[in-house]
Every structure is written in C-alpha cells, then in structure tokens.
Amino acid sequence: MNNSSDDIILSTQGLTKSFGGVQVARHIDFNIGRGARRALIGPNGAGKTTFINLLTGRVSPDSGTVLFAGQDVTHLPPEARVKRGIARTFQINSQFRALTVLENVCLAATERQGLGGCWWRSSYPSHVVDECVALLRRVGLLPYAGVVVAELPYGHQRILEIAMALALDPSVLLLDEPAAGVPSSDTHLILDVIDALSQDIAVLLIEHDMRVVFRVASEITVLVQGAILMTGSPAVVENDARVREIYLGARRG
C-alpha cells in the first residue's frame, strides 16, 4: 500500500476476532486512502463481511485498533462512526419497504443531521427534502421518488441503498455486494452509480462478481481465512498464481 499517513482515511492495526474458537480476523493491518477505489475479495468464509462489521462497529474486535482520519474509533458504536463519516450498504436491502424512495433517503439524511423521528415527508425540513431530491437526481432515482420501495424494481432498490448511504455524507463508503441478486442486464445501473461517486469518497467494495470488481477497483485486497493474502492492482491480483488457485480459478479462466 503506497498511501502516506496524511492520505489514509481508514485503517486497522493488528485487528483480530474469534467466534467460538474460530479466528475470523487474523491480525489484519489494512488501510485505504482518501478517495480510493478498493475491492475486498476472497472465497466464501474468508471473513469479508466480518471485517466490514469490525470497521463499522457492528462487531467488536478481540484485539487491535480501527483508526478513522487518524483517530481511534475502535470502541465507538456504529451510529457514532456514521457521524464521523463511515457509511455502508448491506448484502440484503435494509430500506423501509412501506415508505417511498424519497422518504427513505430523507430518513437517512435526518439521522445524519440529528433530526431523527421525522417519519413522513410532510415533517421533513424543506432543506432536507431539497438535498434528497438532488441526491436522487444524481443516482437516477428521481422519477421513482414517490414510489413505495416494495414496488421498486430490485436493481433500483440496490441503488436506493447506495443513495441512503450517500445521504449520510460519508468520507468512506463500504459496499457489501451491491450487485447481489441484480439481473446481469441491470448490473450496469449499479456500476454507473458507483462510477459517478465523488472522488472525495473512499469506496471499499465487497463483491463476488469479478466483472464488477475489475470495473470499479484500482486496487484489490485478497482475504483468505481471516488474513490478508495480498493487495495489488487488478492486473497483479488477476495474474497471481495463489489468487487464481484459491479464488479466481475458472471464473477468469
């Protein structure tokens, strides 16, 4: 990793975690620079989602530290890390399906601004609504602003998940399989949104679809059995014999 300390926005030092005697994070030293585009790949059970949970505070490490903008956030709860600038999406959508697209994004924005409790659009301050309308326009969801999430096509639900994370105004955006379950014909919709993200936002992507990984990431970290095997450019990772044997194999031929 070539980031200087001033460029690093999120890092871990010696991060470890075990569940029931099984070590799922093994002394992980990791960093991601401001505005970077990084993918985290590895076989099933490698510990990728656990690592994201450690970064976001949903899981506490047994040892090691998590640093955000040089500050120790290891023991901060998830909501405090969100306010610092760490946002994430999930493998399974986490929207309020009975609310509209705009209402969902407004909920995220009001939480960021400490205005939680505004459950219906008529309760939102006008500046919040204006901000969220502009955000929906940027991600291509403005035509669906008044649509109830339960009636939204699945690919667009995945985009909404990203929009809700962006409403939190993150410096780091963690995308946990954003294309999961999306028909291949709609994957480009997700990719277009990720491509258009501000260069001020560092993106860490977990994704099994290697077409997505190689399109989005300028650097890839390979996780195996809770430990980092290597980090490198897509070309270096793609051609590494260990990676091909462990993970890529027949996927890339």
Side-chain angles (χ1 to χ4, degrees), residues 13 25 66 79 109 128 134 159 161 179 184 214 236 247:
Q13 299 172 354
V66 179
E79 58 271 19
V128 171
I159 295 173
E161 188 87 5
S184 58
F214 282 85
V236 168
Y247 184 68

Side-chain angles (χ1 to χ4, degrees), residues 106-239:
C106 285
L107 277 173
T110 54
E111 285 298 320
R112 184 196 83 220
Q113 298 180 21
L115 301 172
C118 299
W119 280 87
W120 304 106
R121 188 185 311 167
S122 60
S123 301
Y124 300 132
S126 60
H127 74 277
V128 171
V129 175
D130 291 345
E131 174 187 316
C132 293
V133 166
L135 175 55
L136 290 177
R137 182 180 291 111
R138 291 205 309 272
V139 300
L141 287 181
L142 188 57
Y144 302 90
V147 176
V148 172
V149 170
E151 300 174 0
L152 196 65
Y154 187 71
H156 291 79
Q157 290 182 32
R158 302 301 291 179
I159 295 173
L160 174 58
E161 188 87 5
I162 296 174
M164 292 172 66
L166 292 174
L168 299 171
D169 193 23
S171 300
V172 176
L173 179 59
L174 310 174
L175 300 176
D176 195 349
E177 297 193 41
V182 177
S184 58
S185 58
D186 288 342
T187 301
H188 71 280
L189 299 174
I190 309 295
L191 290 171
D192 289 346
V193 170
I194 297 173
D195 284 345
L197 292 175
S198 168
Q199 291 301 309
D200 294 331
I201 301 173
V203 176
L204 179 59
L205 168 79
I206 294 178
E207 183 57 66
H208 285 291
D209 188 334
M210 298 309 298
R211 296 169 302 171
V212 175
V213 169
F214 282 85
R215 160 85 175 264
V216 170
S218 58
E219 198 169 36
I220 299 171
T221 293
V222 183
L223 196 68
V224 178
Q225 295 182 341
I228 292 178
L229 175 68
M230 67 174 299
T231 295
S233 68
V236 168
V237 170
E238 183 179 21
N239 290 295

